[in-house]
Amino acid sequence: MSWLTPMMQDLLIEALGQTLVMVGVSTVLAIAFGLPLALLLHVTGPNGLTPRPWLNRPLGLVVNAARSTPFIILMVAIVPFTRLVAGTSIGTGAAIVPLALAATAFLARLFENALREVDPGVVEAALAMGASRGQIVWKVLVPEALPGLVAAVTVALVSLVGFSAMAGAIGGGGLGDLGIRFGYQRFMPEVMASVVLILILLVQGLQSIGDWLVRRLSHR
Amino acid sequence: MRDMPELPVDDPAIRLAGLSKRFATGGTLALAEVSLEVRSGEIFGIVGRSGAGKSTLVRTVNLLERPDAGAVTVLGQDLLGLDAAALRKARRGIGMVFQHFNLHHRRTVAENIAFPLEVAGMPHAERAARVAELLPLVGLEAKRDAYPAQLSGGQKQRVGIARALASRPRILLCDEATSALDPETTAEILALIRDLRDRLQLTVLLITHEMAVVKSICDRVAVMEAGRVIEQGPVLEVFTRPRQPTTRRFVAEVIGHGVPSETLARLPAPRPGEARRLVQVLFLGPHSTRAVISEASRDFGIDLDIAAGRIDSIAGEPFGVMALAAYGPAEALEAAFAWMRGLGLVIEEIAA
Ligand SMILES: Nc1ncnc2c1ncn2[C@@H]1O[C@H](COP(=O)(O)OP(=O)(O)OP(=O)(O)O)[C@@H](O)[C@H]1O
Ligand SMILES: [Mg+2]
């Protein structure tokens, strides 16, 4: 990146750090909330361990609503909530709130799909062996679905890199924000090119690591 | 090692009484007042066409399927009266083997076999010791760290069997345990099941749609059709004296009523004044087929022509099955058949 001034280089590194924090923290939060949500959706679903249509349908609706709202709108729509949680509505910390929320809904659905791929025969065998529901969730469903769950996290990480660039629009910082402010508004094409290059490398890296992990975990 | 299991005293080991089950989705009456008793230590087969209700029936034995009506008593315990925790405990005493093995893909052979022990809360060291006992029982010592994807179908089913036996159940349920396997592997797995029954004094309830399986290892058999048990009894008896048309068709699969039509066409026509009858004869027990045929032709003045025949065994009992073309005066033929029936042979007309 020697075509950039030292000051621009520092800004770029700082922005990369902010992007990584936004993506990393919101992914961790999305896993923490998304997995239980997905398990609840799966277990209470029509073919689940304990079908509960009165719980499953509303839950599915909420998740779908969050999923189908364009991120930029979701971000603006939940500003009051963001202010409540983060104490402010601008900055990297504030950007994490809508990012985590969108990623939770997104991951919940992807996780649910991964859980659905688990062979129902294995679940049935576990029931026949006297396993409790908790044991079936933690000793059968989650371990058997693990490669799918990891693949889902990879997809979410890649999408979050894109969303986090958008979050820059509310002063969230990060690479997207830098690209807009310097590359576009101040017309510094070398900054824009650098931002795009780093984003591409980041996404490629995440995807490769994810794919490698899935292969290692599969045993198929 | 645990103490020797006490001798089977809870007889019958499994008692199903008046079971009915209608599925809400589709409204199929899968079980219609089915009653069945499986004696301690026997291998009991259930045969029937696809959709007859076989799987639904075995699944009631560990209440994977709850019947709408009836009673399920296993080793003297009324399962329908148990609460969730007691039912889980009871299920540990009932091993189950599946058509598609249902192994955990991400667990090794040893970890798969250890699963029921883990579920039962057995400490790690004890689990490892038990798995080390089970591996040689099914001949898989060399595969302990392999993943299911690295095993053949027969090996996967051995893992399934070892897993089913891990908690030392006295009952083994097999739902089409060999249906995904080739004939040779099927024979191996069946031999293993019989051997384990003998060694561990298991009671086995086995579902199949292949009469050959019933023939090779079952002691008694029930035939199901449209949610009902239409016939049951000792295998030899059901095979040799099937009463229901469905049972006959099943039995025909292994006993082979069929005589090739070319063979039939080549049989000589009866001489004028003579009758010709085509029959299938089942020889059971001690009769020498040749002696019976020569005696019948001598004493009744008839000609007996063997169109097809073979010797086989059911449940360890030898039997011969033969297609005969009989020529002679109609009354003499009738008398000869009556005499043969009197010896205990089973004679059935073949449509020419
Ligand atoms: N979960 C279910 N929901 C609705 N109908 C079912 C269900 N399970 C089985 N049935 C129906 O009940 C009937 C008996 O099914 P079952 O699986 O017991 O048959 P089977 O004799 O085991 O057949 P197969 O040889 O094909 O395994 C069938 O008509 C089937 O469609
Ligand atoms: Mg079945």
Side-chain angles (χ1 to χ4, degrees), chain A:
Chain A
M1 306 263 166
S2 52
W3 63 81
L4 296 176
T5 61
M7 190 198 75
M8 273 327 292
Q9 286 182 18
D10 287 349
L11 278 177
L12 210 57
I13 288 167
E14 191 195 352
L16 175 62
Q18 289 166 337
T19 295
L20 290 179
V21 167
M22 282 190 284
V23 171
V25 174
S26 45
T27 302
V28 169
L29 288 172
I31 294 172
F33 290 107
L35 186 58
L37 198 55
L39 285 168
L40 199 59
L41 278 170
H42 182 72
V43 168
T44 60
N47 300 314
L49 279 175
T50 45
R52 295 278 187 282
W54 56 265
L55 180 61
N56 187 265
R57 292 217 192 96
L59 211 57
L61 259 156
V62 171
V63 169
N64 275 347
R67 275 242 293 144
S68 49
T69 310
F71 179 67
I72 196 98
I73 294 180
L74 181 84
M75 201 165 54
V76 177
I78 66 157
V79 160
F81 176 70
T82 304
R83 214 172 264 144
L84 192 76
V85 176
T88 167
S89 65
I90 51 168
T92 306
I96 286 172
V97 177
L99 281 173
L101 193 76
T104 299
F106 186 60
L107 261 187
R109 274 294 175 218
L110 293 183
F111 280 166
E112 195 202 356
N113 286 340
L115 293 169
R116 212 176 282 163
E117 293 295 309
V118 174
D119 179 0
V122 184
V123 173
E124 177 166 289
L127 276 174
M129 289 182 269
S132 66
R133 281 177 205 145
Q135 287 174 323
I136 285 177
V137 166
W138 297 112
K139 286 181 182 289
V140 182
L141 285 177
V142 171
E144 281 288 292
L146 195 59
L149 298 177
V150 170
V153 171
T154 309
V155 172
L157 277 169
V158 168
S159 316
L160 275 176
V161 170
F163 287 169
S164 75
M166 259 189 259
I170 57 166
L175 289 166
D177 184 39
L178 189 76
I180 299 281
R181 278 193 290 129
F182 290 85
Y184 180 68
Q185 288 164 356
R186 296 191 198 167
F187 200 66
M188 297 168 78
E190 70 279 13
V191 174
M192 187 60 103
S194 307
V195 163
V196 170
L197 187 69
I198 291 175
L199 286 174
I200 290 174
L201 289 175
L202 188 59
V203 166
Q204 280 294 338
L206 289 171
Q207 189 67 55
S208 306
I209 293 171
D211 291 348
W212 173 81
L213 252 181
V214 170
R215 261 199 316 279
R216 271 217 45 177
L217 291 171
S218 286
H219 296 302
R220 289 254 174 199

Side-chain angles (χ1 to χ4, degrees), chain B residues 85-163:
Chain B
L87 175 60
R88 285 200 297 275
K89 193 144 176 282
R91 280 174 173 168
R92 289 176 199 149
I94 307 173
M96 192 165 190
V97 176
F98 304 85
Q99 177 175 3
H100 299 294
F101 324 122
N102 297 353
L103 302 178
H104 300 234
H105 302 93
R106 296 191 55 252
R107 282 173 170 251
T108 62
V109 167
E111 289 165 350
N112 264 287
I113 298 174
F115 182 81
L117 306 173
E118 214 175 301
V119 158
M122 186 187 273
H124 186 273
E126 256 176 82
R127 261 177 2 228
R130 178 71 183 134
V131 170
E133 275 171 20
L134 286 157
L135 285 167
L137 206 59
V138 293
L140 283 178
E141 298 99 312
K143 296 285 180 190
R144 60 163 296 143
D145 296 318
Y147 285 92
Q150 300 162 322
L151 302 179
S152 70
Q155 290 169 333
K156 284 183 201 168
Q157 198 54 293
R158 286 169 184 271
V159 179
I161 292 171
R163 177 177 70 175

Side-chain angles (χ1 to χ4, degrees), chain B residues 51 53-56 99 175-176 207:
Chain B
K54 308 181 293 294
S55 295
T56 310
Q99 177 175 3
D175 189 348
E176 308 264 10
I207 295 184

